[in-house]
Amino acid sequence: MRLSAGVGYVRGVNASSAASASGAPGVSGAPGPSGAPGASIGPADVEGTFVPGRIVLLTTSHRVAPGLLSWPAWQALRTADRVLCADGAHPQLPYLRDAGIAVEETSPTAEELVTACADGRTVVVVATGEGEPALTDGLARLAGSGRVSMPELELLPASYDLPGARLLDLVQVMDRIRAECPWSSQQTHQGLAKYAMEESYELVEAIEDGDRDELREELGDVLLQVVFHARIAEEDEESPFSVDDVAGTIVAKLIHRHPHVFGDATVTTPEEVREQWLRMKAVEKRRESVTDGVPLHQPGLALAAKLAARARTAGLDVPLPTPEGGIGIEGIGYELLALAARAEAEGVDPEAALRAAARAYRDAIRATEGVVG
């Protein structure tokens, strides 16, 4: 078994310890101190009673500020006979020493650690970022051998990652890439704009394909675009902002536009939520027209559907325009506009509907070509 960082709170007494304490033969069959076969070798007091010690592997998260430890962790540190840490540069050490805790900078083997726990002593090991795999593997081998009476082994997380903690890692990685990568360090908002569109399309494709692995990956790629642009924005000389500013803006917006969640407003249906959202948005933006804020560079069918939705939601009865010069190329555009408006009125996403039809056409082409799969 391996005790590793981040797996929770685990505590137990090795079976060979209990066997030794009761005088029962150990699993190894090796001669014991009394000469009887199978007795485990371990620390004992003058009465011959086994006194188990205790090893506490203390894990911390680098995403939590050093010194912010749980109360059980501080208790374990203050009551321990010895506190050990293999990493002299561990970020927790200055704070532990400020709290009056003596920390020895040493990297004991499993055998040395078990010996240090003789006569009921408690040793706390402040784990490094890797979780001390060599030490825990060594302890597991000793416990499995049956030749050594093992102390209690306890894994004690002293600080925990909250949901979203890995986002801090992403910000740090992006910061380093921006500073050290020859390509990333030269990128601009304008140069990255096309990638934001590409990643968004790939995300939509993963959603429509129902591929969970691809969905997770593409969500990460879209998130990268957000963090990348925010990192670039930090360097703007006139109006800089950071990823924290981006997050703070959306948090404030979500809270403000959900008064039925964070305030006293009452809504009972999704339709009422949407109407409330649009009313609040109109007041915030102070727009002259319902078409204000509709991005004109989005795909044509999506643009047509969005305009139709804005008009319908506002209660505006606006007849669809017709071409002046007959059908022709321009007339096809008006026909598509009418189809998009019809789809929106019936609750259908025209872009998604056209993609589904196009996929069916692609499959038909491949079948005609004799392409399998």
Side-chain angles (χ1 to χ4, degrees):
M1 91 181 253
R2 170 178 290 187
L3 297 178
S4 60
V7 299
Y9 181 93
V10 180
R11 183 177 182 179
V13 180
N14 184 266
S16 64
S17 300
S20 175
S22 63
V27 296
S28 67
S34 64
S40 297
I41 303 174
D45 62 13
V46 294
E47 302 294 329
T49 302
F50 174 68
V51 182
R54 180 172 168 237
I55 298 173
V56 179
L57 183 62
L58 198 74
T59 63
T60 58
S61 170
H62 68 277
R63 304 178 191 94
V64 178
L68 295 180
L69 308 180
S70 65
W71 177 242
W74 283 115
Q75 285 182 309
L77 289 163
R78 292 186 180 281
T79 58
D81 294 287
R82 296 176 66 186
V83 177
L84 314 179
C85 183
D87 182 7
H90 197 295
Q92 298 289 347
L93 297 193
Y95 297 88
L96 299 184
R97 287 165 176 157
D98 285 346
I101 296 172
V103 182
E104 304 174 39
E105 296 179 15
T106 182
S107 180
T109 64
E111 291 81 0
E112 292 170 340
L113 192 56
V114 169
T115 300
C117 291
D119 298 326
R121 289 190 291 269
T122 295
V123 177
V124 172
V125 177
V126 180
T128 60
E130 290 74 27
E132 305 294 346
L135 179 60
T136 54
D137 285 349
L139 290 171
R141 285 193 294 270
L142 286 178
S145 71
R147 294 193 296 269
V148 178
S149 294
M150 295 295 292
E152 294 183 6
L153 305 177
E154 180 177 344
L155 178 63
L156 180 57
S159 57
Y160 306 80
D161 285 340
L162 297 176
R166 295 306 299 272
L167 292 175
L168 298 176
D169 293 346
L170 176 58
V171 172
Q172 291 179 343
V173 169
M174 186 68 252
D175 188 65
R176 182 170 179 179
I177 290 175
R178 177 65 174 177
E180 301 180 16
C181 174
W183 184 85
S184 298
S185 62
Q186 300 300 315
Q187 296 309 300
T188 64
H189 294 303
Q190 293 76 13
L192 290 178
K194 62 180 180 181
Y195 298 110
M197 296 180 63
E198 290 176 5
E199 298 299 352
S200 297
Y201 288 139
E202 291 177 6
L203 172 60
V204 171
E205 183 174 359
I207 293 172
E208 293 180 347
D209 287 345
D211 189 322
R212 302 293 295 178
D213 292 335
E214 284 294 317
L215 176 59
R216 181 177 63 249
E217 181 177 347
E218 297 304 336
L219 283 170
D221 290 343
V222 171
L223 180 59
L224 169 61
Q225 296 302 309
V226 175
V227 176
F228 204 161
H229 280 281
R231 178 61 182 82
I232 294 173
E234 291 183 26
E235 302 169 5
D236 189 273
E237 296 181 357
E238 297 181 359
S239 183
F241 60 81
S242 69
V243 69
D244 288 323
D245 298 316
V246 173
T249 298
I250 188 59
V251 166
K253 179 188 290 186
L254 289 174
I255 292 175
H256 177 65
R257 293 190 186 174
H258 288 78
H260 54 290
V261 176
F262 301 99
D264 300 326
T266 301
V267 293
T268 57
T269 66
E271 291 74 21
E272 291 178 349
V273 172
R274 176 176 173 77
E275 292 174 1
Q276 173 184 260
W277 178 283
L278 293 176
R279 285 196 306 270
M280 299 182 71
K281 185 175 182 179
V283 172
E284 293 171 11
K285 301 296 184 180
R286 298 181 181 178
R287 289 168 173 163
E288 297 179 353
S289 168
V290 297
T291 65
D292 291 345
V294 176
L296 299 179
H297 287 83
Q298 63 183 301
L301 287 177
L303 172 60
K306 174 60 74 172
L307 291 171
R310 288 285 184 92
R312 180 179 56 80
T313 303
L316 300 176
D317 185 10
V318 183
L320 293 175
T322 56
E324 297 180 357
I327 303 298
I329 296 178
E330 184 180 358
I332 293 176
Y334 284 93
E335 291 180 2
L336 291 173
L337 171 63
L339 285 174
R342 172 188 163 193
E344 191 283 326
E346 296 178 1
V348 176
D349 179 353
E351 284 285 343
L354 182 57
R355 279 196 301 272
R359 288 182 181 220
Y361 185 43
R362 178 203 61 184
D363 293 343
I365 293 173
R366 292 171 65 87
T368 300
E369 294 173 330
V371 179
V372 180

